[in-house]
Amino acid sequence: LSPISSLPSSTHTSCPEVKVPFPVFFTVGIVSLAENLLVVVAVMRSRNLHSPMYCFMCSLAAFNTIASVTKTWENLMIVLADAGHLERRGPPETDLDDVMDSLLCMSFVGSISSFLAIAVDRYITIFHALRYHNIMTMQRTAAILGLIWTLCAVLAVLMVKFFNFKFIMICFIVFFVVSLAAICFLYVYMFMMARIHAKNIAALPGGGRDKSQHQRRWGSNMRGALTLTILFGAFVVCWAPFFVHLVIITVCPMNPYCECYRSLFELHVVLMMSHALIDPAIYAFRMAELRHTFRKMLFCSDWKFCL
């Protein structure tokens, strides 16, 4: 394995590397692949889901799928090599492992970028509702997605190619921290303004139709923001151990105590892959329109949605 996942042979530590059985990786990878493909197909087939937010969610599902499939394939090759069915030929194996690590890093950067795009989209939806369709057109959405995928691919290749240069790792860490702070700020600001707005609506005289419609529309937007906050929380919980692993490689690569944490790398990877399992479940539980589309696809209640 590449430096991202392996322990330096020269480091002395009393913590043996924890191994996760391959069937666990394989099961999580296959199930998450099926779930996220279901999300992508649902958004593509349902015209009601053709909106910028769902496009960004499709991007997030695609990045989740890349992470799960990459680690599942890597572990499958390791199992086959250990069983003698694949030959270890040196440079080709290293190049292939670099490609897999690049895809994994691309998924990590792409997920946080997708969450940032979703947070901005929700902000515009709530606070610039009348201008939303002029600001977030599908052409701009496609351009944003193209920019996200291009930048993520370039950053992932640079990170793996120049992994030994601390400057690259520092830039990667700064990007993650700044993106995390920006997303948290947007969501905190949205919920703080929501409380103020709810009080202002409650203080209005009477209970007319306009007031009721405004309350329902605002409540719907805030429920969407809450759902995305839950998704973001799941991302942080599942990816944080892997991110800390990368930080440790930069800060204390040879410290025995740090190596004890790095010995849990495979557990961190399983947790990271589990994020791809959790997201579709949150979609189905929190988003009525997407849940309705899932039901049509799975039970073939509408021939247009049959899988």
Side-chain angles (χ1 to χ4, degrees):
L1 292 177
S2 69
I4 291 181
S5 55
S6 62
L7 294 173
S9 57
S10 59
T11 302
H12 299 286
T13 175
S14 59
C15 303
E17 188 171 5
V18 176
K19 295 292 185 180
V20 175
F22 171 72
V24 175
F25 282 107
F26 186 78
T27 302
V28 173
I30 294 299
V31 175
S32 63
L33 174 62
E35 288 184 352
N36 284 281
L37 285 179
L38 185 66
V39 172
V40 174
V41 173
V43 174
M44 292 177 61
R45 291 194 176 187
S46 177
R47 296 185 63 86
N48 294 332
L49 302 179
H50 291 178
S51 67
M53 184 188 74
Y54 284 108
C55 289
F56 293 135
M57 287 174 57
C58 266
S59 175
L60 178 61
F63 283 121
N64 284 340
T65 301
I66 289 173
S68 293
V69 172
T70 298
K71 290 309 297 181
T72 302
W73 180 251
E74 184 179 53
N75 280 275
L76 176 61
M77 294 187 66
I78 292 173
V79 170
L80 292 176
D82 291 341
H85 299 295
L86 288 178
E87 294 183 7
R88 300 180 183 271
R89 299 181 179 179
E93 181 193 26
T94 302
D95 292 340
L96 181 59
D97 194 64
D98 286 344
V99 171
M100 291 183 176
D101 283 335
S102 296
L103 290 173
L104 188 64
C105 293
M106 178 180 173
S107 176
F108 180 71
V109 178
S111 294
I112 191 69
S113 300
S114 297
F115 274 116
L116 182 58
I118 291 172
V120 173
D121 177 78
R122 286 297 87 192
Y123 177 85
I124 297 173
T125 301
I126 294 172
F127 296 105
H128 301 280
L130 297 179
R131 300 175 52 213
Y132 174 77
H133 293 291
N134 293 327
I135 298 174
M136 291 300 298
T137 63
M138 292 304 293
Q139 290 80 3
R140 287 180 180 173
T141 301
I144 292 171
L145 287 173
L147 182 63
I148 287 174
W149 280 83
T150 302
L151 286 178
C152 290
V154 172
L155 288 175
V157 172
L158 288 176
M159 181 181 170
V160 174
K161 188 72 174 177
F162 303 101
F163 187 80
N164 293 326
F165 292 86
K166 286 194 175 182
F167 176 74
I168 296 295
M169 287 298 299
I170 291 172
C171 290
F172 183 78
I173 293 169
V174 169
F175 166 79
F176 177 77
V177 172
V178 171
S179 299
L180 194 68
I183 295 170
C184 291
F185 171 79
L186 285 174
Y187 281 128
V188 170
Y189 181 75
M190 279 190 282
F191 286 115
M192 287 177 61
M193 293 301 295
R195 293 185 60 185
I196 296 173
H197 193 78
K199 291 180 180 178
N200 292 339
I201 293 177
L204 292 175
R209 181 178 178 183
D210 291 341
K211 178 180 176 180
S212 178
Q213 288 179 345
H214 193 64
Q215 285 178 323
R216 285 198 298 270
R217 184 171 62 251
W218 184 267
S220 176
N221 286 335
M222 291 312 300
R223 282 194 296 274
L226 178 60
T227 299
L228 297 171
T229 303
I230 295 171
L231 288 168
F232 180 65
F235 168 81
V236 172
V237 170
C238 292
W239 279 87
F242 176 77
F243 176 74
V244 173
H245 176 89
L246 297 179
V247 174
I248 283 177
I249 293 175
T250 305
V251 176
C252 54
M254 306 300 289
N255 187 293
Y257 295 103
C258 293
E259 292 307 320
C260 283
Y261 181 86
R262 288 184 63 189
S263 68
L264 303 174
F265 177 75
E266 290 196 7
L267 292 178
H268 302 158
V269 172
V270 171
L271 184 61
M272 176 196 72
M273 293 172 62
S274 298
H275 177 244
L277 287 173
I278 296 171
D279 272 6
I282 297 175
Y283 300 153
F285 182 74
R286 295 283 306 179
M287 297 181 171
E289 185 64 41
L290 197 55
R291 182 170 62 249
H292 184 60
T293 304
F294 285 161
R295 191 178 296 114
K296 284 183 178 180
M297 292 174 61
L298 294 174
F299 296 101
C300 208
S301 57
D302 188 335
W303 67 271
K304 293 184 296 183
F305 293 93
C306 290
L307 292 175

